[in-house]
Amino acid sequence: MTTSMDVCNAIAAVIAELWPERMIYRDFCPVDHHRPSSYLYVTSSEMTPANISLVQWELEARLELFCATDEYDVSSTEELRKDQEAVLLAFASPSIQVGDRWVTLTAKGDGMDMGSAFVAFSAAWMDQRPGYHDPDDMTDPVSSAVSKMEHIECSRTFSAQSTDERAI
């Protein structure tokens, strides 16, 4: 099963390839964080039933890119825009590999603030429902322990009753 944390780890791995020397903060960013760095966090994660055996996962995450200095000027804004564009280009493919699977992922520039630029990520994928056991999978110990129709015997015996016995 692929979880939202698996997808976030895959996103962080791509960002780490862009800037191996930069710190990536995950789910918590201290006030005295290093610069330049980035902060990746989940804004929403939802699992919706699709059918008896599948669920659809949807993930929204946000990346905040911090400029190299606390002194903000035009050059730091330009550098942030370049960083933001580098992230968008790194995620230009419509999907990302997460383990042995490919998950649909989109990235979009989500504005800028004083000393920061933002990238929003949206991901969606289908997966097996947690706790689901395929009743036809005989290699699954839970499913194989459930009695199947071929294991049930039906025995019907008929006896002729007199009409007097039927009236009672």
Side-chain angles (χ1 to χ4, degrees), residues 1 5 7 13 19-20 45-47 51 60 62 65 70 73 78 82 104-105 118 129 132 154 161 164:
M1 171 178 283
M5 288 309 299
V7 176
W19 303 291
S45 178
E46 181 180 6
M47 180 176 55
N51 62 29
E60 300 289 327
R62 196 167 195 211
L65 300 164
D70 287 330
D73 59 13
E78 290 171 2
K82 288 179 185 176
T104 302
L105 178 77
F118 301 94
R129 181 187 295 268
Y132 174 75
C154 294
Q161 296 177 331
D164 295 335

Side-chain angles (χ1 to χ4, degrees), residues 2-4 7 55-59 101 103 123-127:
T2 301
T3 66
S4 58
V7 176
V55 292
Q56 178 169 343
W57 283 88
E58 292 180 6
L59 167 77
R101 303 187 57 194
V103 171
W125 66 99
M126 300 292 279
D127 215 333

Side-chain angles (χ1 to χ4, degrees), residues 83-136:
D83 289 353
Q84 187 181 47
E85 189 164 311
V87 172
L88 295 175
L89 291 171
F91 291 96
S93 173
S95 59
I96 185 171
Q97 187 166 6
V98 181
D100 62 347
R101 303 187 57 194
W102 288 89
V103 171
T104 302
L105 178 77
T106 58
K108 71 174 188 172
D110 200 23
M112 297 184 74
D113 200 0
M114 247 343 201
S116 298
F118 301 94
V119 177
F121 295 98
S122 297
W125 66 99
M126 300 292 279
D127 215 333
Q128 184 172 316
R129 181 187 295 268
Y132 174 75
H133 296 278
D134 183 356
D136 296 325

Side-chain angles (χ1 to χ4, degrees), residues 65-78:
L65 300 164
F66 299 110
C67 68
T69 179
D70 287 330
E71 310 274 329
Y72 313 117
D73 59 13
V74 173
S75 64
S76 59
T77 301
E78 290 171 2

